[in-house]
């Protein structure tokens, strides 16, 4: 009888634990004007300037040529919020900003935000709040906004997330830190993407967390999970994914490491005998790597990244995807002349146009040299190229 009661109690605890793990886990909202430095990534968005919208109600403007922008957000039913830039003085950069914070389609009732000029080309508007209507009530979201102007033909407006969510969550039966980042700065925290423009989720102890791409799955500690992220980022639900169909991907045996991603998320695999396995679905190649040693024992590593569009492939349960990646790669030299001066730029490119990085013992090898000689040999000089 004692053993029966003990077994029942253990079973009850396991059931309770599974219910707790499967239930939504709430995170804390955080803000900063340096979100990128704190959470390690927030690409944001670049907006183009628009013609003056005739229907938009404006506050009293100091300039007769204000600049209008649409900040695109999936949290607004019309898909965007209006922003207008003004300036205190006739000359200089735009340093006053108004944003339709409540989504009522007007700016004449909005707070004036004064920017901070960080250099001669840039003004920063930090932690500008906007408000959305969520399922459980109002939601606050903070933006970090920047205006650049180098000359009359080169000006831009950047928006990046000034906020994130973080807290402890249960994953695989253990408590660990979780951080949600609105990487593309559209107001939501659960965006998946076929082309890597998705949100990010950071899992693991503070200071040694692993940054993962938002997708149908996430891998942590060699296990696969299904994340369910609230649109506004307030809570997460992470459950195990034991029933996922895998397929095989084949590539040249020289490849030692391979990364691909898509709606399923991002996956990095060590390659053995030119084969890896991925959950079935559509992917794009993110990067590949080859590592080998020369006859003196030095380790050389080649990384190929940023492949152009057209490298999509499908992983299916019953058939293998075959990828033509890796060697050979090529040295490319660009030469141009400006104001009677010659400029040279040398780089490595892959056979699909990807960017190639080369390392020797985890350091970049010495930059190559360029030898210039005219037909008569009167001019014969060698110059050392430099990185950066």
């Amino acid at each position: 009888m004692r053993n029966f009661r003990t077994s029942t109690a253990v079973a009850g605890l396991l059931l309770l634990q599974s219910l707790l793990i499967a239930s939504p886990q709430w995170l804390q909202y955080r803000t900063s004007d340096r979100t990128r430095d704190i959470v390690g990534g927030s690409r944001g968005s670049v907006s183009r300037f628009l013609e003056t919208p005739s229907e938009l109600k404006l506050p009293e403007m100091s300039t007769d040529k204000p600049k209008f922008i649409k900040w695109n957000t999936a949290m607004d039913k019309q898909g965007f919020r209006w922003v207008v830039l003004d300036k205190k003085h006739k000359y200089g950069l735009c340093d006053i900003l108004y944003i339709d914070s409540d989504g009522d389609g007007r700016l004449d009732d909005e707070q004036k935000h004064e920017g901070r000029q960080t250099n001669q080309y840039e003004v920063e508007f930090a932690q500008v709040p906007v408000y959305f209507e969520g399922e459980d009530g109002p939601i606050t979201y903070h933006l970090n906004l920047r205006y650049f102007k180098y000359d009359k033909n080169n000006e831009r407006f950047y928006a990046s997330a000034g906020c994130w969510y973080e807290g402890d969550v249960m994953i695989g039966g253990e408590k660990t830190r979780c951080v949600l980042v609105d990487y593309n700065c559209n107001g939501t925290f659960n965006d998946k993407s076929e082309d890597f423009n998705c949100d990010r989720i950071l899992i693991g102890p503070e200071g040694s967390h692993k940054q993962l791409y938002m997708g149908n799955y996430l891998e942590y500690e060699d296990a696969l999970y299904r994340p369910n992220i609230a649109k506004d980022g307030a809570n997460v639900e992470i459950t195990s994914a034991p029933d996922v169909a895998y397929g095989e991907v084949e590539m040249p045996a020289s490849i030692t490491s391979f990364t691909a991603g898509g709606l399923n998320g991002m996956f990095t695999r060590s390659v053995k005998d030119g084969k890896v396995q991925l959950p079935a679905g559509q992917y794009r190649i993110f990067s590949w790597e080859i590592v080998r040693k020369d006859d003196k024992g030095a380790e050389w590593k080649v990384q190929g990244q940023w492949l152009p569009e057209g490298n999509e492939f499908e992983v299916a349960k019953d058939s293998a995807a075959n990828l033509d990646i890796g060697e050979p790669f090529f040295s490319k030299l660009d030469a141009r002349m400006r104001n009677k001066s010659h400029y040279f730029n040398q780089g490595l490119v892959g056979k699909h146009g990807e960017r190639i990085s080369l390392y020797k013992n985890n350091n970049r090898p010495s930059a190559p040299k360029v030898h210039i000689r005219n037909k008569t040999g009167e001019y014969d000089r060698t110059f050392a190229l430099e990185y950066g």
Side-chain angles (χ1 to χ4, degrees):
M1 189 67 175
R2 183 178 177 181
N3 290 339
F4 173 77
R5 288 177 177 174
T6 302
S7 300
T8 303
V10 170
L13 286 172
L14 291 174
L15 176 60
L16 177 60
Q17 184 186 51
S18 66
L19 289 173
L20 288 173
I21 294 172
S23 63
Q25 302 169 83
W26 295 88
L27 305 177
Q28 297 295 315
Y29 181 74
R30 298 283 186 262
T31 67
S32 173
D33 58 355
R34 292 291 178 265
T35 304
R36 180 190 297 270
D37 299 336
I38 296 171
V39 300
S42 177
R43 190 182 80 168
S45 60
V46 182
S47 299
R48 61 188 180 90
F49 299 103
L50 305 171
E51 297 294 329
T52 303
S54 57
E55 75 283 0
L56 191 61
K57 294 183 178 180
L58 300 175
E60 184 176 345
M61 309 298 289
S62 299
T63 178
D64 58 353
K65 294 182 179 180
K67 297 184 180 299
F68 294 90
I69 304 107
K70 283 182 178 179
W71 172 60
N72 295 315
T73 171
M75 293 294 287
D76 190 288
K77 60 184 179 181
Q78 64 179 350
F80 67 91
R81 295 287 176 88
W82 278 112
V83 179
V84 64
L85 292 171
D86 195 6
K87 59 173 79 174
K88 296 177 188 175
H89 309 289
K90 182 177 180 181
Y91 301 102
L93 301 177
C94 294
D95 53 4
I96 295 174
L97 177 145
Y98 299 90
I99 186 169
D100 181 11
S101 63
D102 54 5
D104 65 355
R106 55 193 299 171
L107 294 170
D108 59 339
D109 59 350
E110 292 295 342
Q111 174 187 350
K112 178 169 71 173
H113 299 277
E114 295 191 10
R116 178 176 67 93
Q117 187 159 343
T118 57
N119 56 55
Q120 61 180 324
Y121 304 112
E122 175 188 4
V123 175
E124 181 182 76
F125 304 89
Q127 292 186 269
V128 176
V130 293
Y131 309 98
F132 304 117
E133 192 60 41
E135 294 180 0
D136 300 318
I139 298 168
T140 303
Y141 181 96
H142 285 79
L143 288 159
N144 291 328
L145 305 170
R146 291 180 295 158
Y147 168 71
F148 288 86
K149 184 175 182 180
Y150 298 99
D151 53 55
K152 65 179 181 179
N153 298 317
N154 190 359
E155 56 181 337
R156 303 169 193 165
F157 184 78
Y158 289 91
S160 60
C163 56
W164 68 95
Y165 279 90
E166 69 172 288
D168 291 333
V169 300
M170 295 295 293
I171 179 169
E174 295 182 358
K175 182 185 291 186
T176 189
R177 202 69 176 165
C178 174
V179 179
L180 300 181
V181 182
D182 180 15
Y183 183 79
N184 52 19
C185 188
N186 70 347
T188 65
F189 289 81
N190 63 351
D191 291 319
K192 306 170 188 177
S193 175
E194 296 178 349
D195 60 0
F196 312 127
N197 187 29
C198 56
D199 292 328
R200 306 290 195 261
I201 178 169
L202 282 55
I203 296 287
E206 220 167 326
S208 60
H209 55 245
K210 183 178 181 181
Q211 185 182 117
L212 304 170
Y213 283 54
M214 198 68 68
N216 296 327
Y217 309 107
L218 65 85
E219 276 189 330
Y220 179 69
E221 300 291 346
D222 297 324
L224 194 65
Y225 299 90
R226 285 190 176 91
N228 184 13
I229 312 296
K231 189 176 181 179
D232 61 6
N235 62 73
V236 304
E237 185 178 335
I238 301 174
T239 56
S240 63
D243 55 346
V244 175
Y246 281 80
E248 195 165 74
V249 183
E250 298 178 350
M251 62 197 72
S254 59
I255 303 294
T256 54
S257 179
F258 168 75
T259 299
L263 293 177
N264 277 347
M266 183 76 78
F267 298 88
T268 297
R269 293 284 189 265
S270 295
V271 183
K272 185 177 181 180
D273 299 327
K275 296 178 181 180
V276 300
Q277 286 198 329
L278 294 174
Q282 294 283 338
Y283 292 88
R284 289 190 180 190
I285 302 168
F286 183 79
S287 66
W288 54 263
E289 185 175 287
I290 297 174
V291 179
R292 64 170 66 121
K293 291 186 177 182
D294 63 21
D295 55 4
K296 296 181 179 179
E299 183 181 86
W300 290 85
K301 179 167 61 178
V302 176
Q303 292 177 334
Q305 287 184 300
W306 310 117
L307 282 78
E309 290 187 11
N311 67 83
E312 300 86 359
F313 64 97
E314 182 177 2
V315 175
K317 181 180 178 181
D318 301 320
S319 61
N322 196 290
L323 305 182
D324 178 26
I325 56 175
E327 301 169 285
F329 48 92
F330 308 91
S331 177
K332 181 180 180 182
L333 180 68
D334 292 322
R336 59 188 175 88
M337 188 173 73
R338 187 177 66 188
N339 298 329
K340 297 183 179 180
S341 295
H342 293 272
Y343 296 85
F344 299 92
N345 182 49
Q346 185 272 343
L348 298 173
V349 295
K351 57 185 173 183
H352 300 296
E354 65 266 45
R355 186 182 69 185
I356 300 294
S357 299
L358 181 66
Y359 300 90
K360 180 182 180 182
N361 294 328
N362 288 323
N363 295 307
R364 298 184 76 174
S366 300
K369 300 179 185 296
V370 57
H371 180 200
I372 303 175
R373 183 180 185 276
N374 67 358
K375 290 182 179 180
T376 64
E378 294 176 0
Y379 187 92
D380 191 337
R381 293 186 63 184
T382 300
F383 299 89
L385 299 178
E386 297 180 358
Y387 292 118

